[in-house]
Amino acid sequence: MAKVLVVTSGKGGVGKTTTTAAIGAALAQNGKKVAVVDFDVGLRNLDLVLGAERRVVFDLINVVQGVARLPQALIRDKRLENLSLLPASQTRDKDALTEEGVGRVIGEMRGNFDYILCDSPAGIERGAMLAMRFADEAIIVTNPEVSSVRDSDRIIGMLDSKTVKAEKGEQVAKHILLTRYDPARAARGEMLGIEDILEILATPLLGIIPESKDVLRASNVGSPVTLNSPASAPARAYSDATKRLIGETVPMLVPSEPKGLMKLFGRRAA
Amino acid sequence: MSMFRLFAGRPAAPATAPIARERLQILLAHERGLRDHKPDLLMLLREEILAAVSRHVALDPDKVIVRMERGKNVSTLEVDVELPNGLEPALAVAS
């Protein structure tokens, strides 16, 4: 029975799709059967970041509406046989997504995968609500920047009230993933520090992804950063975060570019 | 603080992260209050406190401040009522 994770943030441009691709690939690299689902109807991009844009035939809305069956719409990754993509529709109206339909599709996928990663659109509208609706856990992607932290706080409130789990009186397990972090700037007091953000959001940390050129390089060529440059700092950080997600204890480090690992502090993961 | 500053030859930019942290703490305390309670809970409390005190003491409505601080484990309600001087006997009588 799969675990359903939503990758969400409220704010746009913080790295949800990059994170979905990187963690999805890293889970598959760890032998898990993974489906990544793009909920950004009208602005789909997960296919592009995964290099599968020319292979999209059917999409989530086709499956929700019964036009296509799930196995027809799922695109299996060419590099990782354990990784499948369910793309969003680029042309359809986003109102075509219904809660009942999304619930049915996710329910069908639960039997076939270990992890289902739902890549949420930005904002707090219908698409974002549906992406988190059936989640067991949430990865809240946050940048060390005031507007991103504020939006994360808002999303945390929604995860605690608007999800199926919350309505049953249970908790969606929440994890902060700090992305685009620059340890040098934080040390100079130019950027919110890790402790500041965790204290404000009162939510456990899953990982710290350093700002890096390798992230753009990977998306340029349509390959998750964990596959494209596995030795790079962001790839190692995503790989560590993924291990924490599947229950391994990995020290919380900020991988740095040239000189290997810089130990920050011994905080344990959620 | 940083090595760069020693050699930069120009004054270091002031650290702005503490300002960001403080602004966020204040803002989110307010927004969480709106989210977790009825939107006008603070307004309601303020009005009722103002009415209760005004029955006994004449006071300036602008000087009644009700604030909610939401913390991880504990939240606090701060009520700040400023009374004009010379009203202590009235208060004593009222009680």
Side-chain angles (χ1 to χ4, degrees):
Chain A
M1 204 56 178
K3 239 181 209 169
V4 179
L5 277 90
V6 60
V7 179
T8 185
S9 68
K11 190 178 184 319
V14 296
K16 285 181 294 299
T17 300
T18 301
T19 295
T20 306
I23 292 186
L27 282 167
Q29 287 169 298
N30 275 278
K32 306 291 180 189
K33 283 199 75 182
V34 185
V36 290
V37 185
D38 192 345
F39 275 80
D40 206 345
V41 174
L43 290 171
R44 78 166 173 228
N45 275 320
L46 188 54
D47 54 333
L48 195 54
V49 170
L50 284 170
E53 70 276 14
R54 290 154 63 96
R55 299 171 63 204
V56 176
V57 181
F58 296 114
D59 56 53
L60 175 61
I61 287 181
N62 294 145
V63 181
V64 163
Q65 294 185 333
V67 176
R69 287 178 302 109
L70 185 58
Q72 295 177 300
L74 282 168
I75 302 167
R76 182 168 288 196
D77 191 272
K78 284 193 165 158
R79 299 147 298 203
L80 293 166
E81 62 167 19
N82 279 351
L83 179 65
S84 296
L85 162 71
L86 182 54
S89 171
Q90 184 68 335
T91 51
R92 306 294 283 271
D93 184 19
K94 61 181 180 298
D95 291 334
L97 279 185
T98 60
E99 182 181 334
E100 182 270 329
V102 170
R104 190 162 33 78
V105 173
I106 289 190
E108 192 181 338
M109 279 197 286
R110 272 188 196 263
N112 301 326
F113 294 96
D114 299 316
Y115 285 90
I116 299 165
L117 265 67
C118 302
D119 184 18
S120 174
I124 52 171
E125 304 301 322
R126 186 186 179 79
M129 299 286 293
L130 284 174
M132 72 167 65
R133 182 73 187 151
F134 301 95
D136 302 308
E137 297 190 23
I139 298 171
I140 302 141
V141 182
T142 306
N143 289 171
E145 184 269 322
V146 287
S147 59
S148 174
V149 175
R150 179 198 208 174
D151 291 359
S152 293
D153 190 72
R154 184 80 186 273
I155 286 290
I156 288 168
M158 289 173 61
L159 287 163
D160 286 339
S161 61
K162 313 261 186 200
T163 51
V164 171
K165 272 212 146 184
E167 285 172 7
K168 284 197 288 189
E170 297 168 28
Q171 276 255 324
V172 173
K174 301 180 293 290
H175 315 273
I176 298 289
L177 187 75
L178 193 57
T179 58
R180 309 198 71 163
Y181 185 71
D182 184 336
R185 297 198 70 191
R188 291 200 295 272
E190 296 172 12
M191 180 181 269
L192 280 166
I194 296 158
E195 294 286 0
D196 291 339
I197 293 167
L198 296 183
E199 188 195 327
I200 290 167
L201 295 178
T203 301
L205 182 65
L206 181 67
I208 305 154
I209 315 298
E211 172 80 62
S212 167
K213 291 176 177 143
D214 291 299
V215 172
L216 182 57
R217 277 198 202 105
S219 83
N220 283 344
V221 299
S223 173
V225 70
T226 44
L227 267 185
N228 196 54
S229 45
S232 68
R236 296 199 315 271
Y238 273 121
S239 168
D240 283 357
T242 303
K243 286 179 184 150
R244 291 182 198 110
L245 207 55
I246 57 183
E248 288 180 35
T249 305
V250 183
M252 190 64 74
L253 311 166
V254 184
S256 60
E257 293 289 358
K259 285 185 202 153
L261 302 173
M262 182 174 79
K263 180 145 189 167
L264 243 206
F265 44 82
R267 179 184 292 276
R268 274 210 45 207
Chain B
M1 200 174 20
S2 144
M3 292 265 287
F4 296 113
R5 287 193 189 171
L6 291 173
F7 305 110
R10 62 187 165 89
T16 48
I19 302 169
R21 184 183 59 209
E22 197 185 329
R23 289 177 59 219
L24 273 169
Q25 280 168 336
I26 293 167
L27 175 71
L28 294 184
H30 174 69
E31 288 186 344
R32 287 170 191 167
L34 293 183
R35 184 168 78 211
D36 299 342
H37 305 279
K38 280 186 286 181
D40 51 353
L41 175 66
L42 282 186
M43 194 64 81
L44 198 69
L45 280 172
R46 190 182 166 277
E47 279 171 15
E48 292 191 6
I49 291 164
L50 179 62
V53 180
S54 296
R55 274 200 289 277
H56 307 287
V57 188
L59 48 72
D60 180 353
D62 285 343
K63 301 289 169 64
V64 177
I65 297 161
V66 177
R67 213 179 278 125
M68 177 107 59
E69 293 272 342
R70 302 273 298 166
K72 190 177 175 186
N73 300 313
V74 175
S75 302
T76 56
L77 182 69
E78 183 186 335
V79 181
D80 185 348
V81 182
E82 193 180 309
L83 296 177
N85 278 334
L87 286 172
E88 291 82 357
L91 264 184
V93 171
S95 65

